[in-house]
Amino acid sequence: MPSSSLLPTDSSVLLTTAGMQQFKRYFTGELDPMKDFGSKNVTSIQKAFRTSDIDEVGDETHLTFFEMLGHFSFGDYFKKETINWTYEILTEIFKIPVDRISATVFEGDDIIPFDEESFEAWSKLLPPTQVKKGIRTDNVWGPTGAEGPCGACNEVYVDDVEVATLVFMEYYCHLDKKLTKLTQKGVDVGWGFERIVTKIQYKNNIFETDLFEPLIKILPENIDIRVQRIMADHARASAFLISDGVTPSNKDQGYVLRRLMRRLIVHAHMSDVETEVIRELLLVVVNHYSVYYPNLNSETILTEFNKENDKFQKTFKNGLKELEKLTTVDGASAFKLFESFGLPFEIIKEVGGDKVSTLTREEFEAERKRHQEISRAGVEKKFGGHGIKEGDLTAENSEEMKKVTRLHTATHIIVASLQKVLGQKLPQAGADITVERLRFDFTFPRKVTPKELKQAEDIANEIVDKDLPVTCKEMDLQEALDSGASAFFKLKYPPRVKVYTVGDESDPFSHELCGGPHVTHTGEIGHITITKEESVSGGNRRIRAVVD
Ligand code: SER
């Protein structure tokens, strides 16, 4: 299976952190792998991003963005097979001597029993001192802060580096942390690609492998080695995030990207490296990886970087001066440096020296959250207590609300245009609208060709040019369905629903059940550009578009 996007369809995570995410519903038995893949077993090379490791980057094994080699079984092979294959690939294919390999298995507690089967399987392969029992935090894998399949896992080490995790899915972990048994057993194996490459290439750390060498080579040798590694990691991660549709902002995925780019910019500045070198790093990432990830687009990456750079260059040097003046930095003053000068937490922490020794990320994030709430409350007041979360949309302020509303109506119009071009109804599988772009998924068995996309885009823009009215009517659900309104998103609808119509009611261009809000005339939307079409999990396609 191809890698899914770093931007998950599953909104329980901000970014894709593991290969198993796109397969969640195959583990639970909701979806049938035989039907969708023709097999109960699949493999993938998944793009993954872990914000939780951001402070670790710079050491020998941690990255924000990495590739995870995965193999998965949904009710087919289980522990013994998985462990034997893991051993086989390590010793016979990767030629790692047995004495450098070790594994940990779950010791058991009052909820999940001791993983005897894994213990025995490993004990047949490795000497007793190399098979260890471990505690829940290390040897039970499951979703963090969300719900999903979980189970006991084995950690596999070469020397002291964890190279793979073998998860044996047997339970479903609910939001309240309660476990229930899954109806089938599953396997979720993830190998850290960069880590195993380090071992195969006899290197001391990830950054010495041929995956990073072309990046490190560009940076002057006299820069602190940790900074070199951070720059290499962040450049690679930024390129991949941008190519999957993330743009810098103060929210969600955009906030992550913004911090990576700004850290690159400040480090370049402090190490006397020209900004041009960052662009070079980004281009090397594209050259190196675009064979495998054709969606890496140097033009988009550079455009986003340049935009962020132009903005940030104007403020950050003053921010650094301001930081110099402070004697101690707490959560509130750190947030002020972010708010007024754009300095990300990581930079404040890195360059603040003794002044920041007690400053924690939690403190900073708590302050950021407090300010977001204050500004949201202000906006709500302006909106007459109506709230900034309207219908399907959320925005930080009224400007943003206007923009997402335009994108929202554009979504309806593109869906209707595509249905015209493809000559069929397209069952929608979810949508997500940010201030920058719209995105929606729909079920369709093949790629939509560039020609078809262009046709749909042209139809959509004709509708914009015609400045058709967009009207809303409230009616009973059945009446709405009878009137031919599309009911998307497999939602449970309330008995009274809103129906939005684009165009004349006797012959509507689009007619959808929807919470709104929408523009009142299509002309308000502006020009629509479809930016991307790609495949996502479960036989769905995904379209992104922007308006300007
Ligand atoms: N899901 C496990 C992990 O992310 C193994 O793939 O480590």
Side-chain angles (χ1 to χ4, degrees), residues 143-161:
T144 353
E147 57 182 324
C150 71
C153 67
N154 302 168
E155 294 176 316
V156 183
Y157 289 83
V158 172
D159 309 324
D160 290 326
V161 175

Side-chain angles (χ1 to χ4, degrees), residues 96-97 99-102 132 156-163 199 203:
I96 310 276
D99 61 359
R100 290 173 55 193
I101 303 169
S102 64
K132 296 172 200 127
V156 183
Y157 289 83
V158 172
D159 309 324
D160 290 326
V161 175
E162 188 187 353
V163 292
K199 295 298 164 188
K203 300 294 182 189

Side-chain angles (χ1 to χ4, degrees), residues 17-20 50 68-70 72 141 162 165-167 169 188-191:
T17 56
M20 59 76 66
R50 293 196 174 165
M68 195 183 255
L69 311 183
F72 310 88
W141 197 91
E162 188 187 353
T165 308
L166 325 180
V167 188
M169 300 291 192
D188 153 26
V189 169
W191 288 77

Side-chain angles (χ1 to χ4, degrees), residues 192-236:
F193 179 57
E194 293 79 357
R195 290 187 183 182
I196 193 64
V197 168
T198 310
K199 295 298 164 188
I200 296 170
Q201 296 183 343
Y202 298 102
K203 300 294 182 189
N204 296 316
N205 66 72
I206 282 179
F207 298 95
E208 287 176 14
T209 62
D210 59 0
L211 296 168
F212 279 99
E213 200 215 51
L215 293 171
I216 299 285
K217 213 167 60 190
I218 297 177
L219 297 166
E221 271 173 36
N222 61 358
I223 308 180
D224 179 59
I225 186 78
R226 220 184 120 259
V227 170
Q228 290 186 24
R229 292 171 177 177
I230 291 172
M231 291 185 72
D233 169 85
H234 285 16
R236 199 171 77 131

